[in-house]
Amino acid sequence: MNNPRILYIRLPCNPIFPIGVVYLADHIHKCLPHVEQRIFDLGTVPPLDFKPALDRCIDDFQPDLLVFSWRDIQIYAPVGGRGGNPLQHAFELYYGKNPWTKLKGAFGGLRVFIAYYAELWRNSGLIKRGLKRAQRYHPEAQTVVGGGAVSVFYEQLGTQLPKGSIVSVGEGEVLLEKLLTGQEFRDERCYVVGEKAPRDRMIHEWPTEIDKTACDYPYIASIWPDFEYYFESQDFYVGVQTKRGCPHNCCYCVYTVIEGKRVRVNPAEEVVAEMQQLYNRGIRNFWFTDAQFIPARRYIPDAIELLQKILDADLTDIHWAAYIRADNLTPELCDLMVKTGMNYFEIGITSGSQELVRKMRMGYNLRTVLQNCRDLKTAGFNDLVSVNYSFNVIDERPETIRQTIAYHRELEKIFGADKVEPAIFFIGLQPHTHLEEYAFDNNILKPGYNPMSLMPWTAKKLLWNPEPMGSVFGEVCLQAWKQSPNDFGREVMNILEQRFGRAPLNEALTATIEPKKRSLATASRMGS
């Protein structure tokens, strides 16, 4: 392309800082400084103005390359989402005993169904509209479509995009660089709509590595007219990435294939330099956007180096949060976390039963997690901990429920019951995961199914809550929503304890797997 002009368009979603688009534009500016770029974030635009605002932006900038970022296709959410609470609607329909409850769930589900497909139609329509508008000024204009939603559902979304669109999976920096310099780009994780089908298992290919340096925020501000939107409120956590990749095999997680298993750590001095730029603009809340802030013990020194450099930079009045594997903490790291202002973190242990944690390939030692949480409390951490539980994933039964209750009560004993927030999830089965293969092996799903379908006969399988415990959890959740809708997670734990009791803590911390029982850990097609 001669004198290319790139318009990055973040499709409508919740107002979350668009770190992916920002990093793309920053990379292209550094390697191809002559390229003109602009960022347009529909997340900051009122819904009735989506189309005219997009038209005005394209008419003004006249790009010849449109890069769309499609972040969300969240089919199932544990809390309020499109059209209300999808999980609650589904459980009312599937497990409600009162006909009126079932009817309420059916109408709620219908609203979700309509909103979901309307959103797909709207976003694909905005992509087509944008490309057609850009071709008024440059008939050869092209479009690249990427983002979190596209990376997961790239095979299905291709049918909804204009012919010639380049569908990008995972990281897009090198793909854009090759496209702009006239190099062959099809060897990256991408495909061209209408040219040929995507390569088999393309998402499992390793991403091309790049050297990450501090984002040039003065430049980003110059190409993004609404840049200050995310700086006007002190409630926003602005994303900063310290590493890419995740080495684990958690059965339901797609991060490990999107970002790759090889962890690539960004230089600590570059991360701090990026934070300092945002700090100087008034930002005090940071979210480390890594799949896991400390993915394994070998990365503890990197985390220590980063936090020490934050202290050395005198960023003393900040707060930060992250997803953290708490089995990888040390007393030194706990001390630095508190000193640098960590005021919230999420632990995705999924279950408080060591047996189920092992069967789901999580790699956690729950005993170690507890000890490290004690170290964190001793270091002075007195803020909120969110503990993610995904009940009924693999081999759930009354014994493992009792174990999870015991484990959760121990976390409450460490941090204080008011500081431990149980986030209750039911897995929305996603393609490219070990759980999907488990579903194939156990004849729950058949290859060729549509993972984006909300049709009732597919949706109940994708909302993973199999029998014999499925109805039990359905009843418990419905009771919790009725009794305490504003404290749903804690109410679920209380009801489960009332129904099933609490195991001795040591039972929860001891894994007992019956060799004869077929599980995810032993499924024949589940190679590491």
PDB file of all heavy atoms in Angstrom, residues 60-88:
ATOM      1  N   ASP A  60     -14.490  11.524   7.144  1.00  0.00           N
ATOM      2  CA  ASP A  60     -13.456  12.485   7.547  1.00  0.00           C
ATOM      3  C   ASP A  60     -12.054  11.943   7.305  1.00  0.00           C
ATOM      4  O   ASP A  60     -11.185  12.644   6.774  1.00  0.00           O
ATOM      5  CB  ASP A  60     -13.633  12.828   9.030  1.00  0.00           C
ATOM      6  CG  ASP A  60     -12.559  13.771   9.529  1.00  0.00           C
ATOM      7  OD1 ASP A  60     -12.412  14.859   8.940  1.00  0.00           O
ATOM      8  OD2 ASP A  60     -11.868  13.435  10.517  1.00  0.00           O
ATOM      9  N   PHE A  61     -11.826  10.656   7.645  1.00  0.00           N
ATOM     10  CA  PHE A  61     -10.457  10.110   7.579  1.00  0.00           C
ATOM     11  C   PHE A  61     -10.145   9.442   6.249  1.00  0.00           C
ATOM     12  O   PHE A  61      -8.986   9.400   5.823  1.00  0.00           O
ATOM     13  CB  PHE A  61     -10.267   9.108   8.728  1.00  0.00           C
ATOM     14  CG  PHE A  61      -8.865   8.624   8.901  1.00  0.00           C
ATOM     15  CD1 PHE A  61      -7.835   9.505   9.203  1.00  0.00           C
ATOM     16  CD2 PHE A  61      -8.564   7.273   8.768  1.00  0.00           C
ATOM     17  CE1 PHE A  61      -6.535   9.045   9.366  1.00  0.00           C
ATOM     18  CE2 PHE A  61      -7.265   6.808   8.930  1.00  0.00           C
ATOM     19  CZ  PHE A  61      -6.247   7.699   9.230  1.00  0.00           C
ATOM     20  N   GLN A  62     -11.152   8.903   5.576  1.00  0.00           N
ATOM     21  CA  GLN A  62     -11.012   8.252   4.276  1.00  0.00           C
ATOM     22  C   GLN A  62      -9.923   7.171   4.284  1.00  0.00           C
ATOM     23  O   GLN A  62      -8.924   7.247   3.569  1.00  0.00           O
ATOM     24  CB  GLN A  62     -10.729   9.288   3.182  1.00  0.00           C
ATOM     25  CG  GLN A  62     -11.839  10.313   3.039  1.00  0.00           C
ATOM     26  CD  GLN A  62     -11.615  11.310   1.914  1.00  0.00           C
ATOM     27  OE1 GLN A  62     -10.748  11.101   1.054  1.00  0.00           O
ATOM     28  NE2 GLN A  62     -12.381  12.380   1.903  1.00  0.00           N
ATOM     29  N   PRO A  63     -10.108   6.147   5.119  1.00  0.00           N
ATOM     30  CA  PRO A  63      -9.085   5.090   5.229  1.00  0.00           C
ATOM     31  C   PRO A  63      -9.097   4.161   4.030  1.00  0.00           C
ATOM     32  O   PRO A  63     -10.111   4.025   3.335  1.00  0.00           O
ATOM     33  CB  PRO A  63      -9.522   4.341   6.493  1.00  0.00           C
ATOM     34  CG  PRO A  63     -11.012   4.491   6.486  1.00  0.00           C
ATOM     35  CD  PRO A  63     -11.276   5.886   5.956  1.00  0.00           C
ATOM     36  N   ASP A  64      -7.969   3.492   3.811  1.00  0.00           N
ATOM     37  CA  ASP A  64      -7.958   2.418   2.812  1.00  0.00           C
ATOM     38  C   ASP A  64      -7.747   1.048   3.453  1.00  0.00           C
ATOM     39  O   ASP A  64      -7.734   0.036   2.756  1.00  0.00           O
ATOM     40  CB  ASP A  64      -6.912   2.657   1.718  1.00  0.00           C
ATOM     41  CG  ASP A  64      -5.555   3.028   2.269  1.00  0.00           C
ATOM     42  OD1 ASP A  64      -5.318   2.817   3.466  1.00  0.00           O
ATOM     43  OD2 ASP A  64      -4.738   3.548   1.488  1.00  0.00           O
ATOM     44  N   LEU A  65      -7.617   1.030   4.791  1.00  0.00           N
ATOM     45  CA  LEU A  65      -7.606  -0.235   5.521  1.00  0.00           C
ATOM     46  C   LEU A  65      -8.412  -0.043   6.800  1.00  0.00           C
ATOM     47  O   LEU A  65      -8.122   0.841   7.617  1.00  0.00           O
ATOM     48  CB  LEU A  65      -6.176  -0.665   5.858  1.00  0.00           C
ATOM     49  CG  LEU A  65      -6.046  -1.964   6.678  1.00  0.00           C
ATOM     50  CD1 LEU A  65      -6.658  -3.146   5.916  1.00  0.00           C
ATOM     51  CD2 LEU A  65      -4.604  -2.258   7.028  1.00  0.00           C
ATOM     52  N   LEU A  66      -9.441  -0.878   6.962  1.00  0.00           N
ATOM     53  CA  LEU A  66     -10.262  -0.863   8.171  1.00  0.00           C
ATOM     54  C   LEU A  66      -9.897  -2.082   9.017  1.00  0.00           C
ATOM     55  O   LEU A  66      -9.908  -3.213   8.516  1.00  0.00           O
ATOM     56  CB  LEU A  66     -11.749  -0.925   7.824  1.00  0.00           C
ATOM     57  CG  LEU A  66     -12.300   0.186   6.924  1.00  0.00           C
ATOM     58  CD1 LEU A  66     -13.740  -0.118   6.555  1.00  0.00           C
ATOM     59  CD2 LEU A  66     -12.214   1.517   7.630  1.00  0.00           C
ATOM     60  N   VAL A  67      -9.575  -1.850  10.273  1.00  0.00           N
ATOM     61  CA  VAL A  67      -9.255  -2.939  11.194  1.00  0.00           C
ATOM     62  C   VAL A  67     -10.321  -2.956  12.282  1.00  0.00           C
ATOM     63  O   VAL A  67     -10.377  -2.048  13.118  1.00  0.00           O
ATOM     64  CB  VAL A  67      -7.854  -2.775  11.804  1.00  0.00           C
ATOM     65  CG1 VAL A  67      -7.566  -3.909  12.789  1.00  0.00           C
ATOM     66  CG2 VAL A  67      -6.795  -2.737  10.710  1.00  0.00           C
ATOM     67  N   PHE A  68     -11.194  -3.963  12.247  1.00  0.00           N
ATOM     68  CA  PHE A  68     -12.290  -4.059  13.215  1.00  0.00           C
ATOM     69  C   PHE A  68     -11.878  -4.962  14.369  1.00  0.00           C
ATOM     70  O   PHE A  68     -11.329  -6.057  14.158  1.00  0.00           O
ATOM     71  CB  PHE A  68     -13.547  -4.630  12.551  1.00  0.00           C
ATOM     72  CG  PHE A  68     -14.236  -3.674  11.628  1.00  0.00           C
ATOM     73  CD1 PHE A  68     -13.924  -3.651  10.277  1.00  0.00           C
ATOM     74  CD2 PHE A  68     -15.206  -2.802  12.106  1.00  0.00           C
ATOM     75  CE1 PHE A  68     -14.563  -2.777   9.409  1.00  0.00           C
ATOM     76  CE2 PHE A  68     -15.856  -1.926  11.252  1.00  0.00           C
ATOM     77  CZ  PHE A  68     -15.527  -1.904   9.898  1.00  0.00           C
ATOM     78  N   SER A  69     -12.173  -4.517  15.578  1.00  0.00           N
ATOM     79  CA  SER A  69     -11.944  -5.323  16.772  1.00  0.00           C
ATOM     80  C   SER A  69     -13.298  -5.722  17.354  1.00  0.00           C
ATOM     81  O   SER A  69     -14.081  -4.879  17.777  1.00  0.00           O
ATOM     82  CB  SER A  69     -11.146  -4.529  17.811  1.00  0.00           C
ATOM     83  OG  SER A  69     -11.027  -5.250  19.019  1.00  0.00           O
ATOM     84  N   TRP A  70     -13.556  -7.032  17.373  1.00  0.00           N
ATOM     85  CA  TRP A  70     -14.825  -7.578  17.862  1.00  0.00           C
ATOM     86  C   TRP A  70     -14.503  -8.320  19.151  1.00  0.00           C
ATOM     87  O   TRP A  70     -13.966  -9.414  19.144  1.00  0.00           O
ATOM     88  CB  TRP A  70     -15.407  -8.519  16.808  1.00  0.00           C
ATOM     89  CG  TRP A  70     -16.826  -8.939  17.039  1.00  0.00           C
ATOM     90  CD1 TRP A  70     -17.493  -9.017  18.221  1.00  0.00           C
ATOM     91  CD2 TRP A  70     -17.755  -9.363  16.030  1.00  0.00           C
ATOM     92  NE1 TRP A  70     -18.775  -9.470  18.038  1.00  0.00           N
ATOM     93  CE2 TRP A  70     -18.969  -9.676  16.692  1.00  0.00           C
ATOM     94  CE3 TRP A  70     -17.681  -9.505  14.646  1.00  0.00           C
ATOM     95  CZ2 TRP A  70     -20.090 -10.152  16.007  1.00  0.00           C
ATOM     96  CZ3 TRP A  70     -18.794  -9.971  13.964  1.00  0.00           C
ATOM     97  CH2 TRP A  70     -19.990 -10.280  14.632  1.00  0.00           C
ATOM     98  N   ARG A  71     -14.856  -7.711  20.279  1.00  0.00           N
ATOM     99  CA  ARG A  71     -14.409  -8.226  21.567  1.00  0.00           C
ATOM    100  C   ARG A  71     -15.300  -9.314  22.145  1.00  0.00           C
ATOM    101  O   ARG A  71     -14.807 -10.307  22.676  1.00  0.00           O
ATOM    102  CB  ARG A  71     -14.289  -7.078  22.581  1.00  0.00           C
ATOM    103  CG  ARG A  71     -13.740  -7.493  23.934  1.00  0.00           C
ATOM    104  CD  ARG A  71     -13.731  -6.342  24.926  1.00  0.00           C
ATOM    105  NE  ARG A  71     -13.014  -6.705  26.139  1.00  0.00           N
ATOM    106  CZ  ARG A  71     -13.538  -7.348  27.158  1.00  0.00           C
ATOM    107  NH1 ARG A  71     -14.817  -7.712  27.131  1.00  0.00           N
ATOM    108  NH2 ARG A  71     -12.810  -7.648  28.228  1.00  0.00           N
ATOM    109  N   ASP A  72     -16.607  -9.110  22.114  1.00  0.00           N
ATOM    110  CA  ASP A  72     -17.505  -9.945  22.914  1.00  0.00           C
ATOM    111  C   ASP A  72     -18.490 -10.744  22.074  1.00  0.00           C
ATOM    112  O   ASP A  72     -19.182 -10.192  21.225  1.00  0.00           O
ATOM    113  CB  ASP A  72     -18.335  -9.081  23.877  1.00  0.00           C
ATOM    114  CG  ASP A  72     -17.485  -8.480  24.983  1.00  0.00           C
ATOM    115  OD1 ASP A  72     -16.480  -9.101  25.348  1.00  0.00           O
ATOM    116  OD2 ASP A  72     -17.831  -7.393  25.471  1.00  0.00           O
ATOM    117  N   ILE A  73     -18.519 -12.047  22.306  1.00  0.00           N
ATOM    118  CA  ILE A  73     -19.680 -12.865  21.979  1.00  0.00           C
ATOM    119  C   ILE A  73     -19.871 -13.737  23.211  1.00  0.00           C
ATOM    120  O   ILE A  73     -19.478 -14.895  23.251  1.00  0.00           O
ATOM    121  CB  ILE A  73     -19.497 -13.718  20.715  1.00  0.00           C
ATOM    122  CG1 ILE A  73     -19.268 -12.841  19.501  1.00  0.00           C
ATOM    123  CG2 ILE A  73     -20.729 -14.598  20.490  1.00  0.00           C
ATOM    124  CD1 ILE A  73     -19.112 -13.602  18.195  1.00  0.00           C
ATOM    125  N   GLN A  74     -20.381 -13.127  24.270  1.00  0.00           N
ATOM    126  CA  GLN A  74     -20.525 -13.785  25.572  1.00  0.00           C
ATOM    127  C   GLN A  74     -21.899 -14.440  25.608  1.00  0.00           C
ATOM    128  O   GLN A  74     -22.874 -13.837  26.015  1.00  0.00           O
ATOM    129  CB  GLN A  74     -20.387 -12.757  26.697  1.00  0.00           C
ATOM    130  CG  GLN A  74     -20.403 -13.343  28.092  1.00  0.00           C
ATOM    131  CD  GLN A  74     -19.063 -13.925  28.499  1.00  0.00           C
ATOM    132  OE1 GLN A  74     -18.042 -13.513  28.001  1.00  0.00           O
ATOM    133  NE2 GLN A  74     -19.076 -14.888  29.404  1.00  0.00           N
ATOM    134  N   ILE A  75     -21.975 -15.677  25.167  1.00  0.00           N
ATOM    135  CA  ILE A  75     -23.269 -16.335  25.063  1.00  0.00           C
ATOM    136  C   ILE A  75     -23.895 -16.524  26.434  1.00  0.00           C
ATOM    137  O   ILE A  75     -25.078 -16.300  26.627  1.00  0.00           O
ATOM    138  CB  ILE A  75     -23.121 -17.689  24.340  1.00  0.00           C
ATOM    139  CG1 ILE A  75     -22.626 -17.458  22.905  1.00  0.00           C
ATOM    140  CG2 ILE A  75     -24.438 -18.437  24.313  1.00  0.00           C
ATOM    141  CD1 ILE A  75     -22.388 -18.718  22.129  1.00  0.00           C
ATOM    142  N   TYR A  76     -23.104 -16.953  27.403  1.00  0.00           N
ATOM    143  CA  TYR A  76     -23.628 -17.166  28.757  1.00  0.00           C
ATOM    144  C   TYR A  76     -22.815 -16.312  29.725  1.00  0.00           C
ATOM    145  O   TYR A  76     -21.592 -16.302  29.678  1.00  0.00           O
ATOM    146  CB  TYR A  76     -23.516 -18.639  29.169  1.00  0.00           C
ATOM    147  CG  TYR A  76     -24.215 -19.555  28.207  1.00  0.00           C
ATOM    148  CD1 TYR A  76     -23.493 -20.353  27.334  1.00  0.00           C
ATOM    149  CD2 TYR A  76     -25.596 -19.592  28.151  1.00  0.00           C
ATOM    150  CE1 TYR A  76     -24.141 -21.189  26.442  1.00  0.00           C
ATOM    151  CE2 TYR A  76     -26.250 -20.423  27.256  1.00  0.00           C
ATOM    152  CZ  TYR A  76     -25.516 -21.219  26.404  1.00  0.00           C
ATOM    153  OH  TYR A  76     -26.145 -22.027  25.521  1.00  0.00           O
ATOM    154  N   ALA A  77     -23.484 -15.594  30.574  1.00  0.00           N
ATOM    155  CA  ALA A  77     -22.812 -14.768  31.568  1.00  0.00           C
ATOM    156  C   ALA A  77     -23.374 -15.105  32.940  1.00  0.00           C
ATOM    157  O   ALA A  77     -24.558 -15.402  33.076  1.00  0.00           O
ATOM    158  CB  ALA A  77     -23.025 -13.281  31.266  1.00  0.00           C
ATOM    159  N   PRO A  78     -22.531 -15.043  33.994  1.00  0.00           N
ATOM    160  CA  PRO A  78     -23.013 -15.382  35.321  1.00  0.00           C
ATOM    161  C   PRO A  78     -23.808 -14.268  35.980  1.00  0.00           C
ATOM    162  O   PRO A  78     -24.436 -14.464  37.002  1.00  0.00           O
ATOM    163  CB  PRO A  78     -21.720 -15.651  36.095  1.00  0.00           C
ATOM    164  CG  PRO A  78     -20.719 -14.771  35.420  1.00  0.00           C
ATOM    165  CD  PRO A  78     -21.096 -14.755  33.968  1.00  0.00           C
ATOM    166  N   VAL A  79     -23.736 -13.074  35.425  1.00  0.00           N
ATOM    167  CA  VAL A  79     -24.463 -11.933  35.979  1.00  0.00           C
ATOM    168  C   VAL A  79     -25.185 -11.225  34.849  1.00  0.00           C
ATOM    169  O   VAL A  79     -25.248 -11.718  33.735  1.00  0.00           O
ATOM    170  CB  VAL A  79     -23.497 -10.962  36.702  1.00  0.00           C
ATOM    171  CG1 VAL A  79     -22.941 -11.612  37.942  1.00  0.00           C
ATOM    172  CG2 VAL A  79     -22.371 -10.530  35.779  1.00  0.00           C
ATOM    173  N   GLY A  80     -25.713 -10.026  35.113  1.00  0.00           N
ATOM    174  CA  GLY A  80     -26.503  -9.316  34.126  1.00  0.00           C
ATOM    175  C   GLY A  80     -25.779  -9.148  32.803  1.00  0.00           C
ATOM    176  O   GLY A  80     -24.619  -8.764  32.760  1.00  0.00           O
ATOM    177  N   GLY A  81     -26.461  -9.456  31.720  1.00  0.00           N
ATOM    178  CA  GLY A  81     -25.875  -9.308  30.404  1.00  0.00           C
ATOM    179  C   GLY A  81     -26.924  -8.818  29.438  1.00  0.00           C
ATOM    180  O   GLY A  81     -27.875  -8.155  29.820  1.00  0.00           O
ATOM    181  N   ARG A  82     -26.788  -9.159  28.161  1.00  0.00           N
ATOM    182  CA  ARG A  82     -27.752  -8.725  27.163  1.00  0.00           C
ATOM    183  C   ARG A  82     -29.137  -9.261  27.504  1.00  0.00           C
ATOM    184  O   ARG A  82     -29.325 -10.434  27.794  1.00  0.00           O
ATOM    185  CB  ARG A  82     -27.324  -9.192  25.767  1.00  0.00           C
ATOM    186  CG  ARG A  82     -27.217 -10.681  25.642  1.00  0.00           C
ATOM    187  CD  ARG A  82     -27.045 -11.096  24.199  1.00  0.00           C
ATOM    188  NE  ARG A  82     -25.779 -10.657  23.653  1.00  0.00           N
ATOM    189  CZ  ARG A  82     -24.653 -11.330  23.782  1.00  0.00           C
ATOM    190  NH1 ARG A  82     -24.617 -12.427  24.513  1.00  0.00           N
ATOM    191  NH2 ARG A  82     -23.551 -10.900  23.217  1.00  0.00           N
ATOM    192  N   GLY A  83     -30.113  -8.389  27.539  1.00  0.00           N
ATOM    193  CA  GLY A  83     -31.482  -8.807  27.779  1.00  0.00           C
ATOM    194  C   GLY A  83     -31.735  -9.296  29.186  1.00  0.00           C
ATOM    195  O   GLY A  83     -32.726  -9.964  29.449  1.00  0.00           O
ATOM    196  N   GLY A  84     -30.836  -9.006  30.126  1.00  0.00           N
ATOM    197  CA  GLY A  84     -31.019  -9.474  31.493  1.00  0.00           C
ATOM    198  C   GLY A  84     -29.924 -10.441  31.877  1.00  0.00           C
ATOM    199  O   GLY A  84     -28.780 -10.297  31.468  1.00  0.00           O
ATOM    200  N   ASN A  85     -30.243 -11.445  32.658  1.00  0.00           N
ATOM    201  CA  ASN A  85     -29.283 -12.430  33.143  1.00  0.00           C
ATOM    202  C   ASN A  85     -29.491 -13.742  32.398  1.00  0.00           C
ATOM    203  O   ASN A  85     -30.411 -14.507  32.719  1.00  0.00           O
ATOM    204  CB  ASN A  85     -29.484 -12.616  34.652  1.00  0.00           C
ATOM    205  CG  ASN A  85     -28.429 -13.517  35.262  1.00  0.00           C
ATOM    206  OD1 ASN A  85     -27.967 -14.460  34.635  1.00  0.00           O
ATOM    207  ND2 ASN A  85     -28.056 -13.242  36.503  1.00  0.00           N
ATOM    208  N   PRO A  86     -28.668 -14.052  31.411  1.00  0.00           N
ATOM    209  CA  PRO A  86     -28.884 -15.262  30.610  1.00  0.00           C
ATOM    210  C   PRO A  86     -28.878 -16.538  31.435  1.00  0.00           C
ATOM    211  O   PRO A  86     -29.661 -17.455  31.174  1.00  0.00           O
ATOM    212  CB  PRO A  86     -27.718 -15.231  29.615  1.00  0.00           C
ATOM    213  CG  PRO A  86     -27.328 -13.789  29.531  1.00  0.00           C
ATOM    214  CD  PRO A  86     -27.551 -13.235  30.897  1.00  0.00           C
ATOM    215  N   LEU A  87     -27.983 -16.612  32.420  1.00  0.00           N
ATOM    216  CA  LEU A  87     -27.912 -17.813  33.234  1.00  0.00           C
ATOM    217  C   LEU A  87     -29.205 -18.010  34.026  1.00  0.00           C
ATOM    218  O   LEU A  87     -29.761 -19.114  34.093  1.00  0.00           O
ATOM    219  CB  LEU A  87     -26.720 -17.733  34.183  1.00  0.00           C
ATOM    220  CG  LEU A  87     -26.468 -18.959  35.057  1.00  0.00           C
ATOM    221  CD1 LEU A  87     -26.116 -20.162  34.201  1.00  0.00           C
ATOM    222  CD2 LEU A  87     -25.365 -18.690  36.072  1.00  0.00           C
ATOM    223  N   GLN A  88     -29.715 -16.940  34.598  1.00  0.00           N
ATOM    224  CA  GLN A  88     -30.943 -17.038  35.373  1.00  0.00           C
ATOM    225  C   GLN A  88     -32.124 -17.438  34.491  1.00  0.00           C
ATOM    226  O   GLN A  88     -32.927 -18.305  34.850  1.00  0.00           O
ATOM    227  CB  GLN A  88     -31.245 -15.722  36.084  1.00  0.00           C
ATOM    228  CG  GLN A  88     -32.479 -15.779  36.972  1.00  0.00           C
ATOM    229  CD  GLN A  88     -32.688 -14.513  37.769  1.00  0.00           C
ATOM    230  OE1 GLN A  88     -31.868 -13.595  37.746  1.00  0.00           O
ATOM    231  NE2 GLN A  88     -33.798 -14.446  38.480  1.00  0.00           N
TER     232      GLN A  88
END
